[in-house]
Structures are given as C-alpha cells and as structure tokens.
Amino acid sequence: MRSDPDDTTDEPGPRRRRRTVTALRIATATVAAAVLVVTGLGWAAHHELTTGILRSGALDVLTGGDRNSPHGDSNILLIGLDSRKDMHGNDLPAEFVTDELHAGDSDAGGYNTNTLILLHVPGDGSRATAAAIPRDDYVDIPGYGKHKIKEAYGMAKADADAELEEQDVTDPTEREQRSRDAGRRSTIETVQKLLRVPIDHFAEVNLVGFYDIAKALGPLEVCLNAPVDDPYSGANFPAGRQMLDPAQALPFVRQRHGLDNGDLDRTRRQQAFLTGVLRNLDSGGVFGSVSKMRALFDTVESDVVVDDDLDPVGFASQARNLTRGELDFYTLPIEGYATVDGQAVNIVDPNRMRAEVSRLFAGEGPLPTTTATTTTTTPPPTSSATSSRPARSGSHTTTATEDTSTPLEAPPPEEPVAADDSSGIPCVD
C-alpha cells in the first residue's frame, strides 16, 4: 500500500532529519532577524531621542564614592539656572523675557541657581525622594568661603571666564561652555560637601526651560491655598485648583514677593510644578511613544544640559514610576535668618541637613521635632541679624532671633509635597 504523499512519518530517517534541521535553521534565522530588527529599532529610537542633547563633563569634579551611590541607587542633582541667556550665552529675546516671562532684562539673575533639588531614586524601585536646598542657604563654597549657595555657579563661572580671556580664548561659544562647566563643578562640589552624599548625575535647565516644558506638555494643573497678585513676577492666580498655560508657569514658580515665607514658599511652588510635569508626562502618553518623546526633547534640548553618563531614555523609564505617585518632595531645614554684608541669608546647620538627608534617602522620613530644639549658627563678625520673622522649610519651622544663643523651638513637621496626594495634586502657598 502506497503511503500518502503528505505523510512523512514513513520517510527514511536522513531525509526527516534534513527537513527538521532546515526548519530549525529557518526558525532560528527568523527569530534572529526579529531580534536584530527590534534591537536595531530600539537603538535607532534611543539614538534619535538622545542626539542633540547638550552634555557636560562637570561631574569629573567628584571621584570615587562621592560620585557613585551604592546598591544601584541614583542621586540626581537638578539645577535651575536663573539666567536670561540661553545655553550658548546669547541673550534671550528681550520682548519674550520681559513681556511673556515677566523676568526682567538679560542682566537680571546673572548666573545664580534659582533651584537646587537632589533627587534620590532607590535601586530597589521603592519610593523616591526629592530634597530641595533653599537658594539663600549660607554655606561653605569650596574656594570662596561662605556665601549663598545660589552664588556658587556664578562666582566660579566669572573667574573661569576671566582666566580664559587671559589665555586668549576668544571664541565666545567655547568660553561660555567652559566657564559654565566651571560653574556646574562649583555647584556640584558645594552640594556634595554640604550634604555628604554621592551625586551620580545632574541636569541643568535655564529660565526659559520652565516655559518650554509647559509648552511641550500642555496645561499643568496646580493648586494654591490662597489667591495671589504679584506685579513683580506677574503671578495673578485665584485660590484652588487651576490649569497653567506656558506664560503662567514661570510666574507661578518665580513668585516670592507677597508670600509669607518668600523663597521657601517659592521652593514649594517649584516642587508643585515638577509634580504637575510628572503627571502630564504619564497622562499625556509621552512614555512609550518615540514621536512624543522626540517632540518633547526637540522642545527642551536647547534649554537642558546633562552629564555625560546620564541616559535620558533610561531615566524616562524611571520617571514613569515616579509619575505613579512614588515620589515625595521635602525642603531641607533652615535655622533662621540673618543679614550678611547687606544680604538676607538663611542660617543652616550642615550636620542637621546631613542627618535629614540620610533619613529621607533611607525612607525614614524627616527628623522628629517634637522635643528637639536648635540654635542658630553665629554669623561672621561682618554680619548683623535682621528683625525676627517666621520661617518654614519643608518639615521644620523655626524663628529667627538676634540672640544667636537662644534655642529655636521646632513645631510639628509639615507634610511633604507628595506626588500621590489623596486629593490628586498638592496645594501650596
């Protein structure tokens, strides 16, 4: 009886083996081709997204354990630069700065850092923490002595630019980039020595970056505890929940006049803004869409500088987890206020700040304050204390006093600005 032509069960062994081997080879080749295509597309998408991003080697100021967190954790220093110039040193359009941003001319702000936030992302995927450093904190700046921390960038940049001029470096773009790197190094080193934790990465954004981010992501939802009307920043908002367009976003994060705690309340505004950004990244479908991420990167790439090793696409994957509520913002404590060389400064206790950061990054929450008392640091001989006024900074509130030996009572801690606030978004002053 003849077998069915399609029935190979009775074929000789060698022929069946040849067909099996051929089929396996075809299957293997198909899988390999698919892997190559997917990998190639992934590389192409990654390459497309990261091309054009401005890079800096400023992290080379740190070495060893000062630059590498253990256990797969990452500490990312976010630097907001209060400058009316772009990343190449060119003045931003005057009409845009004054009319749209309400931010004064190109001489205002200089190269001060308006925002310093150290973001801690645990390697085990647990809740992340962002610790804000008030810009007027009076701290040791390596090579310069004690100054406001916001001045670390500008002083180092100015000195580096003068040195480059003496070296006959005439190209303005080269001088701008090299002197700005000096400013970044000074800021990074100052923060690391102040808090004594590693800094794995950094990202710097200029003034117009806040505007461009809001423009790219659409209206951002925020919430205010009280209405505000500040002609200096252009902030004019009612109380409660509201959506900010790009032109409103910068006044929202810049206002300090008319707020009970000035810069400290402005810091919390910036935290609320970043919370809104993270929410929009997720709800807007930016994650998982190469085209939307490319559009976002195209919008902000001229406003942002990152370190050589930071992978924006990899961080975007981490940030997606942050948008789901696994992030808390805190403002590091101050001890009181003083006037030094005619400037209002925040008096801080570095040991207390380090202890606070250690607890926060370990997931233990802020230091307990129910029984603790603190004492203001004695200002240098050239300083004189101002009149008393209340201060609020993150989880602590203190009162300034002319008698620097008098302990300051610490009231109950405040709630952090939390990304998963039960009402949806945090309300701030």
Side-chain angles (χ1 to χ4, degrees):
M1 181 179 66
R2 299 177 60 184
S3 63
D4 188 327
D6 295 329
D7 183 3
T8 61
T9 57
D10 293 332
E11 287 184 357
R15 182 179 299 177
R16 287 202 306 273
R17 285 194 296 273
R18 283 197 298 272
R19 290 193 177 185
T20 301
V21 170
T22 300
L24 287 173
R25 286 175 176 170
I26 293 174
T28 302
T30 302
V31 171
V35 170
L36 287 174
V37 168
V38 171
T39 303
L41 288 175
W43 180 88
H46 186 281
H47 180 72
E48 177 188 353
L49 288 171
T50 56
T51 298
I53 292 177
L54 298 177
R55 299 280 184 174
S56 167
L59 267 180
D60 61 9
V61 72
L62 304 181
T63 58
D66 292 342
R67 186 172 173 174
N68 299 291
S69 294
H71 315 303
D73 297 352
S74 290
N75 293 333
I76 305 168
L77 181 62
L78 307 179
I79 303 171
L81 199 62
D82 191 17
S83 173
R84 281 64 169 166
K85 298 178 182 291
D86 65 19
M87 290 300 184
H88 302 289
N90 302 312
D91 288 348
L92 298 175
E95 297 80 7
F96 175 74
V97 173
T98 56
D99 299 339
E100 192 78 359
L101 303 185
H102 302 277
D105 60 27
S106 61
D107 294 327
Y111 285 89
N112 289 333
T113 49
N114 189 48
T115 306
L116 284 173
I117 297 176
L118 190 59
L119 175 64
H120 175 73
V121 182
D124 61 5
S126 57
R127 197 172 188 83
T129 299
I133 307 168
R135 69 176 193 160
D136 288 338
D137 284 3
Y138 193 60
V139 303
D140 285 315
I141 298 177
Y144 294 94
K146 297 198 73 170
H147 294 272
K148 293 182 181 183
I149 196 169
K150 70 178 183 181
E151 297 176 311
Y153 194 114
M155 290 190 300
K157 182 195 180 301
D159 284 350
D161 189 64
E163 291 178 8
L164 290 169
E165 184 177 18
E166 290 178 359
Q167 297 169 10
D168 294 327
V169 178
T170 58
D171 181 74
T173 300
E174 180 183 357
R175 275 178 55 175
E176 181 71 12
Q177 293 306 313
R178 290 175 63 179
S179 61
R180 281 204 179 191
D181 269 347
R184 293 164 190 143
R185 289 185 178 94
S186 179
T187 299
I188 291 167
E189 186 178 16
T190 299
V191 172
Q192 197 283 321
K193 290 187 179 302
L194 174 66
L195 302 181
R196 294 185 181 173
V197 293
I199 298 176
D200 304 90
H201 300 289
F202 82 90
E204 175 191 312
V205 60
N206 63 14
L207 186 70
V208 75
F210 285 97
Y211 178 93
D212 285 340
I213 289 170
K215 181 179 178 180
L217 295 178
L220 300 174
E221 187 175 10
V222 298
C223 180
L224 285 175
N225 290 322
V228 296
D229 185 3
D230 173 36
Y232 294 98
S233 65
N236 186 353
F237 306 113
R241 301 177 185 283
Q242 54 208 285
M243 305 299 291
L244 301 183
D245 63 30
Q248 295 171 316
L250 193 65
F252 176 81
V253 298
R254 290 187 66 249
Q255 183 188 2
R256 61 187 175 95
H257 296 283
L259 301 178
D260 289 342
N261 298 289
D263 275 330
L264 300 182
D265 281 339
R266 174 158 65 174
T267 297
R268 293 178 67 81
R269 294 279 192 90
Q270 294 164 355
Q271 295 166 352
F273 174 86
L274 291 175
T275 299
V277 167
L278 289 172
R279 289 184 180 280
N280 274 29
L281 283 171
D282 198 30
S283 63
V286 175
F287 297 121
S289 170
V290 173
S291 62
K292 289 184 177 182
M293 289 188 71
R294 177 71 268 175
L296 174 62
F297 282 21
D298 283 343
T299 301
V300 304
E301 67 183 10
S302 61
D303 308 325
V304 178
V305 174
V306 300
D307 66 87
D308 288 335
D309 297 327
L310 180 62
D311 176 8
V313 177
F315 178 69
S317 177
Q318 286 182 312
R320 188 169 190 179
N321 292 330
L322 304 184
T323 64
R324 295 166 180 161
E326 296 300 315
L327 172 64
D328 288 325
F329 283 99
Y330 293 86
T331 304
L332 295 181
I334 68 170
E335 307 304 313
Y337 299 95
T339 298
V340 178
D341 294 333
Q343 294 189 359
V345 302
N346 301 331
I347 300 300
V348 298
D349 179 353
N351 289 327
R352 182 183 177 195
M353 295 179 76
R354 292 162 189 161
E356 186 96 337
V357 166
S358 178
R359 286 182 60 92
L360 292 176
F361 287 7
E364 298 173 358
L367 287 167
T369 59
T370 52
T371 59
T373 58
T374 57
T375 306
T376 55
T377 302
T378 303
T382 58
S383 69
S384 60
T386 61
S387 59
S388 299
R389 63 178 171 133
R392 183 174 63 203
S393 93
S395 58
H396 299 81
T397 303
T398 57
T399 302
T401 174
E402 291 188 9
D403 181 2
T404 58
S405 64
T406 302
L408 303 177
E409 183 179 355
E414 293 182 19
E415 292 297 320
V417 177
D420 63 344
D421 184 86
S422 60
S423 59
I425 59 171
C427 288
V428 296
D429 292 330

